[in-house]
Amino acid sequence: MLEPQTGVPLNPVTPLTAPFWDGCAEGELRYQRCTACGTANFTPTDLCRGCTSRELEWRVSAGLGTVYSWTVVHRPVTPSFTTPYAVAIVDLDEGYRMLTNLIGVEADAVREGMRVRVDLHGVGGERVLPYFRPQFP
Amino acid sequence: MGHSRGVPGPRGQSDKGDRKGHDAMAPESHPYRDVVVAGVFNTAQARRLPGHTSASITVEAVHGALADAGLGLDDVDGVSAADLSARLIHDLRLGPAWRGTQYGLGMIAEAALAISAGMCDVAVVASGEAGIHTDRAATAPWTRPENEFVIPWGLFTAAEFALVARRHMIEYGTTEDQMATVAATIRNNGHANPEAVYHGRGPYTPADIRASRPIAEPFHLLDCAMTSEGGCALVLTRADRARDLRATPVYLLGMAADSYGPAYQHPPAYDLAGRTARDADDRAGTVGRRAADRAFRTARLGRTDVDVLELYDPFSFEVIRQLEAFGFCAPGEGGPFVADGHIAPDGKYPATTDGGLMSYSHAGSNPQMLQRAIRAVQQVRGTCASTQIPGARVALASAGGSGALFNQVALFGTERP
Ligand SMILES: [Zn+2]
């Protein structure tokens, strides 16, 4: 069964990205929605990727999505990762996409189009990471 | 895969070069016709090169390429060496000199344009890396993810490319066996190449590739490039100086590049598309498609005019992907295309004949992108010590790939365009 990591490398939070990480710490998966054109933006940005507007507001995602692609990693990027782990691209129902790791599923049971839901886990320090697990285990 | 080699088809005829939506015109006069690649050189390549620095191995490559051309440092008035350009101009006392700013195959086109435009007469395009890879516990250090939305997920090069390969498997049914065929073919070319880091390590069958340990599914260890050190250089000059030169002059027939954004910062989604996408196949998974169309148009050549493909091979799958993106087979047909032996040395499109990044060398981040071009030049000169394709007149080189969201394509030949 794939599990969350502990002690993974983390890059510094920036003023632009702080609302996202603050949301994770508060149990919310946040993204930016453009009030001009409605595009859901992720990763955090200062310009809407749909229309270049700066009118972006933070919203809370329902945290539900589908697996677009994934890879089960057996040789980690650095020894701080425990293998195997599953890197995945998940399409959120709000219309944006994020990179994540899948947990709560056997590595060989992951499928394209699998429904998943967010599952927040602390990984050391104050950082809480959004993992995804099968929506209907 | 018997077929006749060395019988040139009619030049300038388009086969797959006229796919819809390509409305831009070929340049009236060829942009590089007054420029030749006069010299090429690879230094020794190895997992480690003790005693060398990136600068010292690059300078060794510069000397080698100039000697190959029959020129010397006194002739040089242009330098493109990525982040070493300014230092080389200063430390080799080459100033005042034109200074290039591009990377990978873009360095060659930029230097050719600089010569065409009268900005310099003899440009060295050089790159080398040594003494960098000290962290042996980690994978390719130059491609580590660097932002907070990829690094905690354990993303790295193999995983990036695997995410693209997986989509190709889902959409087209591409198999691990087909990928393993690519790896075995290229590694066997390296096995036969006395200059390859992994010379003599084979031969390999696809089953050997699949039996190696898994890295990032669907990739096994032998589906992946190595890491190594080394230097390489090319010398470009005006075609009217060809009589001063030692080696057969080679022309840059066409070059173009595609980018979908920064490498290793965003998830490499197969279906990432820009606002100008012409059809469903214009997406990051087919990056290089536009570049290939443009390179062929500049060269006024079609796909069947190409004799050898020095494809960039960071991962086995990427060769399958590029064969489709560059128009050598239709989208989704890359897997069966390689399984049918098309990229074998006796196939219609022999690929990556020196062993490539998997077996010849994956020198640092930039040198290895030039090395596909150096091999392409050696092929059309007819001077390869191993796996020389008889009668090769036109060679394609590529660099970059879908996992890094960019792809570069260059065509070389001995006939003045
Ligand atoms: Zn917008």
Side-chain angles (χ1 to χ4, degrees):
Chain A
M1 192 72 79
L2 297 168
E3 302 288 343
Q5 301 283 327
T6 54
V8 298
L10 298 166
N11 271 31
V13 171
T14 67
L16 178 67
T17 64
F20 175 79
W21 295 114
D22 290 348
C24 289
E26 294 164 24
E28 292 180 351
L29 186 69
R30 296 178 184 167
Y31 68 101
Q32 289 166 297
R33 185 179 175 280
C34 174
T35 59
C37 78
T39 294
N41 284 271
F42 188 82
T43 56
T45 177
D46 48 358
L47 292 170
C48 172
R49 297 187 178 104
C51 73
T52 77
S53 161
R54 289 181 291 128
E55 305 304 315
L56 298 163
E57 62 176 15
W58 285 96
R59 291 280 187 100
V60 178
S61 165
L64 299 173
T66 59
V67 173
Y68 174 73
S69 191
W70 80 98
T71 176
V72 177
V73 175
H74 298 270
R75 162 114 163 80
V77 57
T78 69
S80 57
F81 284 86
T82 303
T83 56
Y85 61 94
V87 180
I89 300 172
V90 168
D91 286 331
L92 277 297
D93 290 354
E94 289 83 2
Y96 68 100
R97 171 173 278 176
M98 68 180 292
L99 196 74
T100 186
N101 286 173
L102 301 176
I103 59 170
V105 60
E106 298 294 341
D108 59 3
V110 180
R111 294 290 179 270
E112 186 259 345
M114 195 169 83
R115 290 291 295 169
V116 290
R117 63 179 165 85
V118 72
D119 192 355
L120 295 155
H121 283 270
V123 291
E126 305 199 332
R127 198 75 65 93
V128 174
L129 287 185
Y131 290 82
F132 282 77
R133 63 166 58 243
Q135 185 178 355
F136 307 108
Chain B
M1 291 315 107
H3 81 289
S4 62
R5 291 222 65 87
V7 183
R11 295 281 149 158
Q13 282 196 0
S14 242
D15 35 283
K16 290 175 179 170
D18 283 336
R19 292 180 298 192
K20 78 181 178 81
H22 307 149
D23 43 4
M25 302 286 288
E28 278 290 311
S29 83
H30 192 280
Y32 319 116
R33 70 185 310 271
D34 296 327
V35 181
V36 293
V37 178
V40 293
F41 189 75
N42 285 309
T43 68
Q45 311 286 315
R47 293 277 291 161
R48 302 290 178 274
L49 289 169
H52 266 295
T53 63
S54 293
S56 74
I57 201 71
T58 303
V59 169
E60 189 177 311
V62 168
H63 285 304
L66 285 168
D68 185 49
L71 298 169
L73 280 176
D74 290 355
D75 297 304
V76 176
D77 64 349
V79 174
S80 179
D83 51 358
L84 284 173
S85 296
R87 178 175 169 193
L88 293 192
I89 289 171
H90 180 268
D91 289 1
L92 302 180
R93 292 178 289 112
L94 295 170
W98 171 82
R99 175 181 159 189
T101 60
Q102 269 283 346
Y103 64 96
L105 299 177
M107 298 165 78
I108 301 170
E110 184 192 33
L113 289 169
I115 293 168
S116 289
M119 291 190 260
C120 63
D121 292 325
V122 176
V124 290
V125 169
S127 194
E129 289 191 25
I132 288 174
H133 311 309
T134 52
D135 184 2
R136 302 206 61 172
T139 55
W142 56 86
T143 53
R144 297 238 189 101
E146 280 175 6
N147 81 47
E148 64 204 275
F149 297 100
V150 291
I151 198 168
W153 310 119
L155 200 64
F156 65 113
T157 329
E160 296 261 5
F161 282 84
L163 288 167
V164 182
R166 173 76 67 192
R167 279 308 304 186
H168 203 270
M169 296 169 80
I170 292 166
E171 293 194 22
Y172 299 116
T174 306
T175 67
E176 289 188 29
D177 249 354
Q178 292 163 345
M179 297 182 210
T181 299
V182 172
T185 302
I186 293 175
R187 286 180 178 278
N188 287 342
N189 292 342
H191 166 72
N193 179 1
E195 295 174 356
V197 172
Y198 288 160
H199 171 236
R201 290 287 189 95
Y204 295 95
T205 65
D208 296 329
I209 307 300
R210 295 194 63 185
S212 63
R213 64 190 171 88
I215 301 294
E217 296 176 16
F219 299 144
H220 297 258
L221 180 68
L222 295 178
D223 285 301
C224 307
M226 71 174 95
T227 58
S228 58
E229 300 185 338
C232 62
L234 302 89
V235 175
L236 282 75
T237 189
R238 299 192 335 243
D240 63 5
R241 293 193 60 168
R243 63 184 170 278
D244 303 335
L245 307 174
R246 280 186 50 208
T248 308
V250 172
Y251 292 87
L252 177 62
L253 304 177
M255 191 272 163
D258 286 347
S259 168
Y260 274 90
Y264 310 123
Q265 292 185 27
H266 301 286
Y270 199 99
D271 64 356
L272 172 66
R275 62 172 70 232
T276 58
R278 298 163 298 185
D279 57 41
D281 280 316
D282 260 354
R283 43 186 179 161
T286 63
V287 64
R289 180 191 189 212
R290 168 188 171 279
D293 287 340
R294 285 179 176 256
F296 275 100
R297 192 172 56 225
T298 299
R300 298 184 176 89
L301 295 177
R303 271 58 171 180
T304 55
D305 293 322
V306 180
D307 300 303
V308 57
L309 302 176
E310 294 299 337
L311 295 173
Y312 190 72
D313 59 324
F315 301 94
S316 54
F317 163 75
E318 193 62 19
V319 167
I320 292 173
R321 195 199 67 76
Q322 288 175 96
L323 288 165
E324 298 174 7
F326 297 169
F328 290 96
C329 60
E333 290 180 3
F337 191 80
V338 299
D340 286 347
H342 281 90
I343 64 165
D346 63 348
K348 185 168 172 56
Y349 295 112
T352 317
T353 58
D354 57 0
L357 282 55
M358 294 191 193
S359 181
Y360 170 64
S361 185
H362 185 307
S365 60
N366 195 57
Q368 38 102 18
M369 290 199 281
L370 288 176
Q371 283 170 327
R372 297 301 90 228
I374 289 175
R375 184 64 171 188
V377 169
Q378 292 169 337
Q379 279 287 356
V380 296
R381 279 180 176 182
T383 57
C384 296
S386 64
T387 319
Q388 172 66 48
I389 304 307
R393 299 168 66 201
V394 176
L396 178 149
S398 66
S402 58
L405 298 184
F406 78 96
N407 216 180
Q408 305 173 321
V409 184
L411 291 160
F412 296 91
T414 48
E415 245 176 68
R416 192 180 191 193

